Amino acid sequence: MNLNSVHNVFFIGVGGIGMSALARYFKSVGKHVSGYDKTRSEITDALESSGIPVHFEDDTKHINEVFRNKAHTLVVYTPAIPKQQSQLQYFIAHGFNVMKRSKVLGLITENTFCLAVAGTHGKTTTTSILGHLLYQSGVRLTAFLGGISENYNSNLILNGDEVSVVEADEFDRSFLTLSPNLACITSMDADHLDIYGNATELQKSFEDFSKKIKPQGKLFVRNGLPIQGITYGIEDNAAYAVQNIKIENGAYIFDIKTPETTIKNLEFNLPGRHNLSNALVAMAMAAEFGVSHQQLADALATYKGVKRRFTYHIKTNDLVFIDDYAHHPEEINAVHAAIREMYPDKKVLAIFQPHLYSRTRDFIDDFAKSLSQFDELMLLDIYPARELPIEGVTSNWLLSKIKNTNKKLVSKQDLISEIRKSSAQVILTIGAGDIGEEVKQIKKELSVAS
């Protein structure tokens, strides 16, 4: 399909983080853009204020006349939308060009020099670091992010159309629509077993992705993963390796050994070894793209992070409040390790909202183990997202497996009063559901209390 012949783009599920970035992109290149989402959110408010109309009722009467022109309209939908959604059904029945978000992203990027970030964890942070490094170095790029960048307050970095930076999402095998010039794989832990069935099938899809790289392209792989590529790692023998790590004023100071040289005294302000690993591969990809080491060093020091990725909301000597998107046992382990490294002597309260019944069931013992590490734990009900309940899969079941006596099941209504009873000096909210909506209220209450 030739995107130049498209004048109108209609989004079904426009409030999703990846969908809204695409909507902003099409608006920026002069298309008519509109869309539907189930619920109003900060993202849909931001889209509306940027001139993209959004409606919240699933009814074909809301499809503006301009989007009923079949020859010049593209319809983009997210896999999270139910197949019976009436607007989706309307466009399919009337023979419109209807495409998944990932397919459209593939079309946009195929005429650019494409840098793609794959992996079960770390995609959004790595993509946003890479986008920031290239933008600050004057590269003519468009970066599509799966989160809101703190530096740009957006999920889209726009500075031209010669280069694209994208997340290569393994969910629903979406990343197989991409053909990148440079790509990386940050991790391949079992996840999305509702799609893949087992970890072997997931690994096979990453192998398929590694074969999608263009001729003369390069693949970067975290050291130890079972896929061939240019390796990167922390304090190991990888081709690109972080060395001589120090912590000064809450920031990492370190060197990077490359195949040719060593880049010394880099500064990076995000806590956690997992984030240091993300910064390393972003630096490696940008260096291979051709950006000078000095430009990269200057840009890395100014990187501020992604909202809901180890985001500090309160940071005083007496109280720290951090919010993070972690929703898989390995991600919880990484956040826990980061907190212990930064605050070794402080009591930590974690508030976790499990995401999906299937994920809770598939990793129940690993979740219990990762959550048992905190000094105190509050567990919210499971956030269903796209799923119906599974019999027996509840937060109570998860709670019963957690080996920590300081644990309780809490409703959202009681959350603030329960937090008030805690003596923890570090409070952490984690999960990929709507727990992020509670953060403002918690911050307000904690600020008043302190």
Side-chain angles (χ1 to χ4, degrees), residues 349-354 376-383 395-396 399 406-422 435 438 442:
L349 159 65
I351 301 153
F352 178 56
Q353 181 190 46
E376 187 180 350
L377 179 73
M378 294 180 190
L379 206 54
L380 297 175
D381 280 334
I382 296 170
Y383 182 78
S395 286
N396 223 359
L399 192 77
N406 206 351
K407 61 180 180 178
K408 60 176 73 163
L409 204 57
V410 178
S411 70
K412 278 192 193 162
Q413 294 90 306
D414 299 335
L415 191 52
I416 299 287
S417 61
E418 289 295 338
I419 291 170
R420 280 201 201 109
K421 296 176 191 172
S422 172
I435 188 169
E438 306 298 313
I442 294 170

PDB file of all heavy atoms in Angstrom, residues 349-354 376-383 395-396 399 406-422 435 438 442:
ATOM      1  N   LEU A 349       8.382  -0.408  50.835  1.00  0.00           N
ATOM      2  CA  LEU A 349       7.015  -0.902  50.638  1.00  0.00           C
ATOM      3  C   LEU A 349       6.731  -0.959  49.147  1.00  0.00           C
ATOM      4  O   LEU A 349       6.870   0.048  48.451  1.00  0.00           O
ATOM      5  CB  LEU A 349       6.015   0.040  51.322  1.00  0.00           C
ATOM      6  CG  LEU A 349       4.554  -0.027  50.830  1.00  0.00           C
ATOM      7  CD1 LEU A 349       3.935  -1.382  51.138  1.00  0.00           C
ATOM      8  CD2 LEU A 349       3.710   1.105  51.425  1.00  0.00           C
ATOM      9  N   ALA A 350       6.330  -2.130  48.644  1.00  0.00           N
ATOM     10  CA  ALA A 350       5.928  -2.273  47.237  1.00  0.00           C
ATOM     11  C   ALA A 350       4.418  -2.456  47.159  1.00  0.00           C
ATOM     12  O   ALA A 350       3.845  -3.236  47.934  1.00  0.00           O
ATOM     13  CB  ALA A 350       6.635  -3.455  46.601  1.00  0.00           C
ATOM     14  N   ILE A 351       3.793  -1.733  46.234  1.00  0.00           N
ATOM     15  CA  ILE A 351       2.353  -1.868  45.971  1.00  0.00           C
ATOM     16  C   ILE A 351       2.237  -2.382  44.540  1.00  0.00           C
ATOM     17  O   ILE A 351       2.617  -1.695  43.593  1.00  0.00           O
ATOM     18  CB  ILE A 351       1.637  -0.513  46.123  1.00  0.00           C
ATOM     19  CG1 ILE A 351       1.844   0.044  47.529  1.00  0.00           C
ATOM     20  CG2 ILE A 351       0.156  -0.663  45.797  1.00  0.00           C
ATOM     21  CD1 ILE A 351       1.763   1.550  47.618  1.00  0.00           C
ATOM     22  N   PHE A 352       1.720  -3.599  44.383  1.00  0.00           N
ATOM     23  CA  PHE A 352       1.719  -4.243  43.057  1.00  0.00           C
ATOM     24  C   PHE A 352       0.309  -4.543  42.585  1.00  0.00           C
ATOM     25  O   PHE A 352      -0.513  -5.084  43.325  1.00  0.00           O
ATOM     26  CB  PHE A 352       2.537  -5.536  43.105  1.00  0.00           C
ATOM     27  CG  PHE A 352       2.568  -6.296  41.795  1.00  0.00           C
ATOM     28  CD1 PHE A 352       3.003  -5.678  40.626  1.00  0.00           C
ATOM     29  CD2 PHE A 352       2.165  -7.628  41.719  1.00  0.00           C
ATOM     30  CE1 PHE A 352       3.029  -6.363  39.411  1.00  0.00           C
ATOM     31  CE2 PHE A 352       2.202  -8.322  40.516  1.00  0.00           C
ATOM     32  CZ  PHE A 352       2.632  -7.687  39.362  1.00  0.00           C
ATOM     33  N   GLN A 353       0.050  -4.180  41.321  1.00  0.00           N
ATOM     34  CA  GLN A 353      -1.201  -4.552  40.650  1.00  0.00           C
ATOM     35  C   GLN A 353      -0.863  -5.561  39.554  1.00  0.00           C
ATOM     36  O   GLN A 353      -0.261  -5.201  38.543  1.00  0.00           O
ATOM     37  CB  GLN A 353      -1.861  -3.319  40.032  1.00  0.00           C
ATOM     38  CG  GLN A 353      -3.190  -3.623  39.340  1.00  0.00           C
ATOM     39  CD  GLN A 353      -3.697  -2.422  38.540  1.00  0.00           C
ATOM     40  OE1 GLN A 353      -2.947  -1.794  37.810  1.00  0.00           O
ATOM     41  NE2 GLN A 353      -4.974  -2.104  38.696  1.00  0.00           N
ATOM     42  N   PRO A 354      -1.208  -6.847  39.739  1.00  0.00           N
ATOM     43  CA  PRO A 354      -0.929  -7.843  38.680  1.00  0.00           C
ATOM     44  C   PRO A 354      -1.660  -7.463  37.383  1.00  0.00           C
ATOM     45  O   PRO A 354      -2.747  -6.879  37.427  1.00  0.00           O
ATOM     46  CB  PRO A 354      -1.476  -9.149  39.253  1.00  0.00           C
ATOM     47  CG  PRO A 354      -1.596  -8.912  40.729  1.00  0.00           C
ATOM     48  CD  PRO A 354      -1.877  -7.448  40.896  1.00  0.00           C
ATOM     49  N   GLU A 376       7.844  -4.895  52.751  1.00  0.00           N
ATOM     50  CA  GLU A 376       6.400  -4.852  52.967  1.00  0.00           C
ATOM     51  C   GLU A 376       5.719  -4.864  51.609  1.00  0.00           C
ATOM     52  O   GLU A 376       6.244  -4.293  50.651  1.00  0.00           O
ATOM     53  CB  GLU A 376       6.052  -3.564  53.729  1.00  0.00           C
ATOM     54  CG  GLU A 376       4.625  -3.458  54.172  1.00  0.00           C
ATOM     55  CD  GLU A 376       4.342  -2.150  54.919  1.00  0.00           C
ATOM     56  OE1 GLU A 376       5.289  -1.415  55.262  1.00  0.00           O
ATOM     57  OE2 GLU A 376       3.153  -1.866  55.143  1.00  0.00           O
ATOM     58  N   LEU A 377       4.558  -5.537  51.515  1.00  0.00           N
ATOM     59  CA  LEU A 377       3.881  -5.666  50.220  1.00  0.00           C
ATOM     60  C   LEU A 377       2.383  -5.432  50.355  1.00  0.00           C
ATOM     61  O   LEU A 377       1.737  -5.989  51.246  1.00  0.00           O
ATOM     62  CB  LEU A 377       4.122  -7.062  49.634  1.00  0.00           C
ATOM     63  CG  LEU A 377       3.430  -7.321  48.294  1.00  0.00           C
ATOM     64  CD1 LEU A 377       4.132  -6.564  47.169  1.00  0.00           C
ATOM     65  CD2 LEU A 377       3.369  -8.799  47.982  1.00  0.00           C
ATOM     66  N   MET A 378       1.845  -4.622  49.448  1.00  0.00           N
ATOM     67  CA  MET A 378       0.390  -4.483  49.305  1.00  0.00           C
ATOM     68  C   MET A 378       0.023  -4.918  47.889  1.00  0.00           C
ATOM     69  O   MET A 378       0.648  -4.484  46.930  1.00  0.00           O
ATOM     70  CB  MET A 378      -0.045  -3.037  49.545  1.00  0.00           C
ATOM     71  CG  MET A 378       0.182  -2.570  50.954  1.00  0.00           C
ATOM     72  SD  MET A 378      -0.348  -0.858  51.205  1.00  0.00           S
ATOM     73  CE  MET A 378       0.347  -0.550  52.836  1.00  0.00           C
ATOM     74  N   LEU A 379      -0.985  -5.770  47.820  1.00  0.00           N
ATOM     75  CA  LEU A 379      -1.371  -6.354  46.535  1.00  0.00           C
ATOM     76  C   LEU A 379      -2.769  -5.880  46.159  1.00  0.00           C
ATOM     77  O   LEU A 379      -3.695  -5.971  46.965  1.00  0.00           O
ATOM     78  CB  LEU A 379      -1.347  -7.885  46.678  1.00  0.00           C
ATOM     79  CG  LEU A 379      -1.114  -8.750  45.448  1.00  0.00           C
ATOM     80  CD1 LEU A 379       0.170  -8.350  44.724  1.00  0.00           C
ATOM     81  CD2 LEU A 379      -1.040 -10.219  45.864  1.00  0.00           C
ATOM     82  N   LEU A 380      -2.916  -5.326  44.955  1.00  0.00           N
ATOM     83  CA  LEU A 380      -4.232  -4.943  44.436  1.00  0.00           C
ATOM     84  C   LEU A 380      -4.821  -6.104  43.632  1.00  0.00           C
ATOM     85  O   LEU A 380      -4.123  -7.074  43.317  1.00  0.00           O
ATOM     86  CB  LEU A 380      -4.104  -3.712  43.534  1.00  0.00           C
ATOM     87  CG  LEU A 380      -3.592  -2.419  44.185  1.00  0.00           C
ATOM     88  CD1 LEU A 380      -3.399  -1.339  43.128  1.00  0.00           C
ATOM     89  CD2 LEU A 380      -4.533  -1.927  45.265  1.00  0.00           C
ATOM     90  N   ASP A 381      -6.095  -5.983  43.266  1.00  0.00           N
ATOM     91  CA  ASP A 381      -6.724  -7.003  42.421  1.00  0.00           C
ATOM     92  C   ASP A 381      -6.062  -7.027  41.046  1.00  0.00           C
ATOM     93  O   ASP A 381      -5.467  -6.040  40.609  1.00  0.00           O
ATOM     94  CB  ASP A 381      -8.220  -6.718  42.261  1.00  0.00           C
ATOM     95  CG  ASP A 381      -9.007  -7.195  43.483  1.00  0.00           C
ATOM     96  OD1 ASP A 381      -8.538  -8.115  44.164  1.00  0.00           O
ATOM     97  OD2 ASP A 381     -10.075  -6.608  43.753  1.00  0.00           O
ATOM     98  N   ILE A 382      -6.217  -8.140  40.340  1.00  0.00           N
ATOM     99  CA  ILE A 382      -5.637  -8.304  39.000  1.00  0.00           C
ATOM    100  C   ILE A 382      -6.325  -7.351  38.024  1.00  0.00           C
ATOM    101  O   ILE A 382      -7.557  -7.249  38.001  1.00  0.00           O
ATOM    102  CB  ILE A 382      -5.785  -9.771  38.519  1.00  0.00           C
ATOM    103  CG1 ILE A 382      -4.983 -10.705  39.427  1.00  0.00           C
ATOM    104  CG2 ILE A 382      -5.328  -9.922  37.063  1.00  0.00           C
ATOM    105  CD1 ILE A 382      -5.253 -12.204  39.190  1.00  0.00           C
ATOM    106  N   TYR A 383      -5.506  -6.667  37.220  1.00  0.00           N
ATOM    107  CA  TYR A 383      -6.043  -5.811  36.155  1.00  0.00           C
ATOM    108  C   TYR A 383      -6.270  -6.687  34.920  1.00  0.00           C
ATOM    109  O   TYR A 383      -5.330  -7.267  34.380  1.00  0.00           O
ATOM    110  CB  TYR A 383      -5.038  -4.688  35.839  1.00  0.00           C
ATOM    111  CG  TYR A 383      -5.530  -3.718  34.787  1.00  0.00           C
ATOM    112  CD1 TYR A 383      -6.450  -2.721  35.119  1.00  0.00           C
ATOM    113  CD2 TYR A 383      -5.085  -3.797  33.464  1.00  0.00           C
ATOM    114  CE1 TYR A 383      -6.902  -1.808  34.160  1.00  0.00           C
ATOM    115  CE2 TYR A 383      -5.542  -2.895  32.502  1.00  0.00           C
ATOM    116  CZ  TYR A 383      -6.446  -1.910  32.866  1.00  0.00           C
ATOM    117  OH  TYR A 383      -6.909  -1.026  31.921  1.00  0.00           O
ATOM    118  N   SER A 395      -5.685 -12.440  43.069  1.00  0.00           N
ATOM    119  CA  SER A 395      -4.597 -11.849  43.846  1.00  0.00           C
ATOM    120  C   SER A 395      -4.447 -12.566  45.188  1.00  0.00           C
ATOM    121  O   SER A 395      -3.353 -12.650  45.741  1.00  0.00           O
ATOM    122  CB  SER A 395      -4.851 -10.358  44.068  1.00  0.00           C
ATOM    123  OG  SER A 395      -4.617  -9.654  42.871  1.00  0.00           O
ATOM    124  N   ASN A 396      -5.545 -13.100  45.690  1.00  0.00           N
ATOM    125  CA  ASN A 396      -5.496 -13.858  46.954  1.00  0.00           C
ATOM    126  C   ASN A 396      -4.615 -15.098  46.814  1.00  0.00           C
ATOM    127  O   ASN A 396      -3.852 -15.453  47.717  1.00  0.00           O
ATOM    128  CB  ASN A 396      -6.912 -14.259  47.365  1.00  0.00           C
ATOM    129  CG  ASN A 396      -7.129 -14.043  48.852  1.00  0.00           C
ATOM    130  OD1 ASN A 396      -6.214 -13.622  49.565  1.00  0.00           O
ATOM    131  ND2 ASN A 396      -8.328 -14.333  49.316  1.00  0.00           N
ATOM    132  N   LEU A 399      -1.118 -13.926  46.784  1.00  0.00           N
ATOM    133  CA  LEU A 399      -0.737 -13.520  48.149  1.00  0.00           C
ATOM    134  C   LEU A 399      -0.358 -14.726  49.004  1.00  0.00           C
ATOM    135  O   LEU A 399       0.627 -14.695  49.754  1.00  0.00           O
ATOM    136  CB  LEU A 399      -1.891 -12.752  48.801  1.00  0.00           C
ATOM    137  CG  LEU A 399      -1.539 -12.022  50.105  1.00  0.00           C
ATOM    138  CD1 LEU A 399      -0.764 -10.747  49.818  1.00  0.00           C
ATOM    139  CD2 LEU A 399      -2.797 -11.699  50.911  1.00  0.00           C
ATOM    140  N   ASN A 406       4.807  -9.627  56.107  1.00  0.00           N
ATOM    141  CA  ASN A 406       4.312  -8.251  56.061  1.00  0.00           C
ATOM    142  C   ASN A 406       3.628  -8.003  54.715  1.00  0.00           C
ATOM    143  O   ASN A 406       4.140  -7.274  53.861  1.00  0.00           O
ATOM    144  CB  ASN A 406       5.482  -7.297  56.278  1.00  0.00           C
ATOM    145  CG  ASN A 406       5.026  -5.977  56.874  1.00  0.00           C
ATOM    146  OD1 ASN A 406       3.836  -5.711  56.977  1.00  0.00           O
ATOM    147  ND2 ASN A 406       5.980  -5.149  57.242  1.00  0.00           N
ATOM    148  N   LYS A 407       2.484  -8.647  54.511  1.00  0.00           N
ATOM    149  CA  LYS A 407       1.805  -8.588  53.200  1.00  0.00           C
ATOM    150  C   LYS A 407       0.304  -8.474  53.420  1.00  0.00           C
ATOM    151  O   LYS A 407      -0.221  -8.975  54.419  1.00  0.00           O
ATOM    152  CB  LYS A 407       2.117  -9.849  52.391  1.00  0.00           C
ATOM    153  CG  LYS A 407       1.629 -11.125  53.068  1.00  0.00           C
ATOM    154  CD  LYS A 407       1.921 -12.402  52.291  1.00  0.00           C
ATOM    155  CE  LYS A 407       1.384 -13.612  53.057  1.00  0.00           C
ATOM    156  NZ  LYS A 407       1.584 -14.877  52.356  1.00  0.00           N
ATOM    157  N   LYS A 408      -0.376  -7.822  52.502  1.00  0.00           N
ATOM    158  CA  LYS A 408      -1.841  -7.765  52.609  1.00  0.00           C
ATOM    159  C   LYS A 408      -2.466  -7.452  51.253  1.00  0.00           C
ATOM    160  O   LYS A 408      -1.829  -6.856  50.382  1.00  0.00           O
ATOM    161  CB  LYS A 408      -2.286  -6.738  53.644  1.00  0.00           C
ATOM    162  CG  LYS A 408      -1.861  -5.314  53.379  1.00  0.00           C
ATOM    163  CD  LYS A 408      -2.439  -4.347  54.422  1.00  0.00           C
ATOM    164  CE  LYS A 408      -1.742  -4.487  55.752  1.00  0.00           C
ATOM    165  NZ  LYS A 408      -1.967  -3.335  56.655  1.00  0.00           N
ATOM    166  N   LEU A 409      -3.725  -7.876  51.110  1.00  0.00           N
ATOM    167  CA  LEU A 409      -4.527  -7.552  49.932  1.00  0.00           C
ATOM    168  C   LEU A 409      -5.250  -6.239  50.231  1.00  0.00           C
ATOM    169  O   LEU A 409      -5.835  -6.088  51.304  1.00  0.00           O
ATOM    170  CB  LEU A 409      -5.541  -8.672  49.692  1.00  0.00           C
ATOM    171  CG  LEU A 409      -6.094  -8.861  48.291  1.00  0.00           C
ATOM    172  CD1 LEU A 409      -4.976  -9.084  47.300  1.00  0.00           C
ATOM    173  CD2 LEU A 409      -7.054 -10.050  48.270  1.00  0.00           C
ATOM    174  N   VAL A 410      -5.174  -5.283  49.307  1.00  0.00           N
ATOM    175  CA  VAL A 410      -5.732  -3.951  49.554  1.00  0.00           C
ATOM    176  C   VAL A 410      -6.609  -3.548  48.369  1.00  0.00           C
ATOM    177  O   VAL A 410      -6.256  -3.795  47.218  1.00  0.00           O
ATOM    178  CB  VAL A 410      -4.582  -2.922  49.738  1.00  0.00           C
ATOM    179  CG1 VAL A 410      -5.141  -1.525  49.947  1.00  0.00           C
ATOM    180  CG2 VAL A 410      -3.699  -3.307  50.913  1.00  0.00           C
ATOM    181  N   SER A 411      -7.751  -2.908  48.675  1.00  0.00           N
ATOM    182  CA  SER A 411      -8.575  -2.350  47.589  1.00  0.00           C
ATOM    183  C   SER A 411      -8.045  -0.958  47.257  1.00  0.00           C
ATOM    184  O   SER A 411      -7.396  -0.313  48.088  1.00  0.00           O
ATOM    185  CB  SER A 411     -10.034  -2.258  48.027  1.00  0.00           C
ATOM    186  OG  SER A 411     -10.170  -1.238  49.005  1.00  0.00           O
ATOM    187  N   LYS A 412      -8.349  -0.484  46.056  1.00  0.00           N
ATOM    188  CA  LYS A 412      -7.900   0.864  45.673  1.00  0.00           C
ATOM    189  C   LYS A 412      -8.466   1.923  46.626  1.00  0.00           C
ATOM    190  O   LYS A 412      -7.788   2.901  46.943  1.00  0.00           O
ATOM    191  CB  LYS A 412      -8.362   1.172  44.246  1.00  0.00           C
ATOM    192  CG  LYS A 412      -7.463   0.593  43.186  1.00  0.00           C
ATOM    193  CD  LYS A 412      -7.857   1.209  41.863  1.00  0.00           C
ATOM    194  CE  LYS A 412      -7.233   0.449  40.721  1.00  0.00           C
ATOM    195  NZ  LYS A 412      -7.888   0.734  39.469  1.00  0.00           N
ATOM    196  N   GLN A 413      -9.695   1.703  47.094  1.00  0.00           N
ATOM    197  CA  GLN A 413     -10.328   2.674  47.980  1.00  0.00           C
ATOM    198  C   GLN A 413      -9.559   2.827  49.291  1.00  0.00           C
ATOM    199  O   GLN A 413      -9.513   3.906  49.879  1.00  0.00           O
ATOM    200  CB  GLN A 413     -11.785   2.258  48.312  1.00  0.00           C
ATOM    201  CG  GLN A 413     -12.715   2.275  47.112  1.00  0.00           C
ATOM    202  CD  GLN A 413     -12.744   0.937  46.374  1.00  0.00           C
ATOM    203  OE1 GLN A 413     -11.691   0.444  45.986  1.00  0.00           O
ATOM    204  NE2 GLN A 413     -13.923   0.371  46.180  1.00  0.00           N
ATOM    205  N   ASP A 414      -8.979   1.716  49.770  1.00  0.00           N
ATOM    206  CA  ASP A 414      -8.284   1.730  51.072  1.00  0.00           C
ATOM    207  C   ASP A 414      -6.790   1.988  50.947  1.00  0.00           C
ATOM    208  O   ASP A 414      -6.071   2.006  51.951  1.00  0.00           O
ATOM    209  CB  ASP A 414      -8.492   0.391  51.797  1.00  0.00           C
ATOM    210  CG  ASP A 414      -9.954   0.122  52.086  1.00  0.00           C
ATOM    211  OD1 ASP A 414     -10.712   1.108  52.175  1.00  0.00           O
ATOM    212  OD2 ASP A 414     -10.338  -1.059  52.206  1.00  0.00           O
ATOM    213  N   LEU A 415      -6.318   2.165  49.719  1.00  0.00           N
ATOM    214  CA  LEU A 415      -4.869   2.209  49.491  1.00  0.00           C
ATOM    215  C   LEU A 415      -4.186   3.338  50.274  1.00  0.00           C
ATOM    216  O   LEU A 415      -3.198   3.115  50.970  1.00  0.00           O
ATOM    217  CB  LEU A 415      -4.592   2.358  47.983  1.00  0.00           C
ATOM    218  CG  LEU A 415      -3.149   2.172  47.507  1.00  0.00           C
ATOM    219  CD1 LEU A 415      -2.546   0.869  48.004  1.00  0.00           C
ATOM    220  CD2 LEU A 415      -3.071   2.236  45.982  1.00  0.00           C
ATOM    221  N   ILE A 416      -4.727   4.538  50.194  1.00  0.00           N
ATOM    222  CA  ILE A 416      -4.103   5.689  50.855  1.00  0.00           C
ATOM    223  C   ILE A 416      -4.028   5.462  52.370  1.00  0.00           C
ATOM    224  O   ILE A 416      -2.987   5.678  52.989  1.00  0.00           O
ATOM    225  CB  ILE A 416      -4.873   7.007  50.553  1.00  0.00           C
ATOM    226  CG1 ILE A 416      -4.881   7.296  49.046  1.00  0.00           C
ATOM    227  CG2 ILE A 416      -4.297   8.169  51.350  1.00  0.00           C
ATOM    228  CD1 ILE A 416      -3.563   7.754  48.465  1.00  0.00           C
ATOM    229  N   SER A 417      -5.145   5.011  52.967  1.00  0.00           N
ATOM    230  CA  SER A 417      -5.146   4.815  54.426  1.00  0.00           C
ATOM    231  C   SER A 417      -4.176   3.713  54.844  1.00  0.00           C
ATOM    232  O   SER A 417      -3.546   3.794  55.896  1.00  0.00           O
ATOM    233  CB  SER A 417      -6.566   4.513  54.927  1.00  0.00           C
ATOM    234  OG  SER A 417      -7.055   3.326  54.329  1.00  0.00           O
ATOM    235  N   GLU A 418      -4.012   2.686  54.017  1.00  0.00           N
ATOM    236  CA  GLU A 418      -3.055   1.609  54.330  1.00  0.00           C
ATOM    237  C   GLU A 418      -1.607   2.108  54.211  1.00  0.00           C
ATOM    238  O   GLU A 418      -0.746   1.751  55.008  1.00  0.00           O
ATOM    239  CB  GLU A 418      -3.277   0.413  53.399  1.00  0.00           C
ATOM    240  CG  GLU A 418      -4.552  -0.369  53.680  1.00  0.00           C
ATOM    241  CD  GLU A 418      -4.560  -1.066  55.038  1.00  0.00           C
ATOM    242  OE1 GLU A 418      -3.479  -1.306  55.598  1.00  0.00           O
ATOM    243  OE2 GLU A 418      -5.664  -1.352  55.540  1.00  0.00           O
ATOM    244  N   ILE A 419      -1.349   2.950  53.185  1.00  0.00           N
ATOM    245  CA  ILE A 419       0.010   3.504  53.018  1.00  0.00           C
ATOM    246  C   ILE A 419       0.370   4.362  54.233  1.00  0.00           C
ATOM    247  O   ILE A 419       1.499   4.328  54.722  1.00  0.00           O
ATOM    248  CB  ILE A 419       0.120   4.332  51.712  1.00  0.00           C
ATOM    249  CG1 ILE A 419       0.022   3.409  50.491  1.00  0.00           C
ATOM    250  CG2 ILE A 419       1.443   5.106  51.654  1.00  0.00           C
ATOM    251  CD1 ILE A 419      -0.124   4.143  49.159  1.00  0.00           C
ATOM    252  N   ARG A 420      -0.627   5.104  54.738  1.00  0.00           N
ATOM    253  CA  ARG A 420      -0.391   5.975  55.903  1.00  0.00           C
ATOM    254  C   ARG A 420       0.091   5.180  57.116  1.00  0.00           C
ATOM    255  O   ARG A 420       0.838   5.692  57.939  1.00  0.00           O
ATOM    256  CB  ARG A 420      -1.689   6.707  56.280  1.00  0.00           C
ATOM    257  CG  ARG A 420      -1.983   7.909  55.407  1.00  0.00           C
ATOM    258  CD  ARG A 420      -2.949   8.852  56.121  1.00  0.00           C
ATOM    259  NE  ARG A 420      -3.622   9.731  55.172  1.00  0.00           N
ATOM    260  CZ  ARG A 420      -4.907   9.646  54.851  1.00  0.00           C
ATOM    261  NH1 ARG A 420      -5.676   8.711  55.372  1.00  0.00           N
ATOM    262  NH2 ARG A 420      -5.438  10.498  53.993  1.00  0.00           N
ATOM    263  N   LYS A 421      -0.349   3.933  57.230  1.00  0.00           N
ATOM    264  CA  LYS A 421       0.020   3.102  58.398  1.00  0.00           C
ATOM    265  C   LYS A 421       1.454   2.582  58.308  1.00  0.00           C
ATOM    266  O   LYS A 421       2.002   2.091  59.272  1.00  0.00           O
ATOM    267  CB  LYS A 421      -0.933   1.898  58.506  1.00  0.00           C
ATOM    268  CG  LYS A 421      -2.370   2.252  58.777  1.00  0.00           C
ATOM    269  CD  LYS A 421      -3.218   0.976  58.748  1.00  0.00           C
ATOM    270  CE  LYS A 421      -4.707   1.286  58.737  1.00  0.00           C
ATOM    271  NZ  LYS A 421      -5.527   0.077  58.508  1.00  0.00           N
ATOM    272  N   SER A 422       2.048   2.660  57.114  1.00  0.00           N
ATOM    273  CA  SER A 422       3.374   2.059  56.903  1.00  0.00           C
ATOM    274  C   SER A 422       4.487   2.980  57.409  1.00  0.00           C
ATOM    275  O   SER A 422       4.387   4.206  57.320  1.00  0.00           O
ATOM    276  CB  SER A 422       3.582   1.774  55.411  1.00  0.00           C
ATOM    277  OG  SER A 422       4.911   1.369  55.190  1.00  0.00           O
ATOM    278  N   ILE A 435      -2.836   1.253  37.731  1.00  0.00           N
ATOM    279  CA  ILE A 435      -2.230   1.697  38.997  1.00  0.00           C
ATOM    280  C   ILE A 435      -1.576   3.061  38.826  1.00  0.00           C
ATOM    281  O   ILE A 435      -1.501   3.854  39.761  1.00  0.00           O
ATOM    282  CB  ILE A 435      -1.219   0.643  39.540  1.00  0.00           C
ATOM    283  CG1 ILE A 435      -0.756   1.043  40.946  1.00  0.00           C
ATOM    284  CG2 ILE A 435      -0.046   0.452  38.593  1.00  0.00           C
ATOM    285  CD1 ILE A 435       0.025  -0.029  41.675  1.00  0.00           C
ATOM    286  N   GLU A 438      -3.387   6.031  40.129  1.00  0.00           N
ATOM    287  CA  GLU A 438      -3.416   6.275  41.580  1.00  0.00           C
ATOM    288  C   GLU A 438      -2.253   7.154  42.038  1.00  0.00           C
ATOM    289  O   GLU A 438      -2.252   7.681  43.139  1.00  0.00           O
ATOM    290  CB  GLU A 438      -3.343   4.940  42.353  1.00  0.00           C
ATOM    291  CG  GLU A 438      -4.379   3.900  41.966  1.00  0.00           C
ATOM    292  CD  GLU A 438      -5.801   4.368  42.229  1.00  0.00           C
ATOM    293  OE1 GLU A 438      -6.064   4.885  43.332  1.00  0.00           O
ATOM    294  OE2 GLU A 438      -6.644   4.232  41.320  1.00  0.00           O
ATOM    295  N   ILE A 442      -1.582   9.431  45.539  1.00  0.00           N
ATOM    296  CA  ILE A 442      -0.610   8.952  46.540  1.00  0.00           C
ATOM    297  C   ILE A 442       0.444  10.044  46.783  1.00  0.00           C
ATOM    298  O   ILE A 442       0.790  10.355  47.925  1.00  0.00           O
ATOM    299  CB  ILE A 442       0.085   7.642  46.061  1.00  0.00           C
ATOM    300  CG1 ILE A 442      -0.944   6.501  45.970  1.00  0.00           C
ATOM    301  CG2 ILE A 442       1.221   7.243  47.019  1.00  0.00           C
ATOM    302  CD1 ILE A 442      -0.416   5.239  45.288  1.00  0.00           C
TER     303      ILE A 442
END
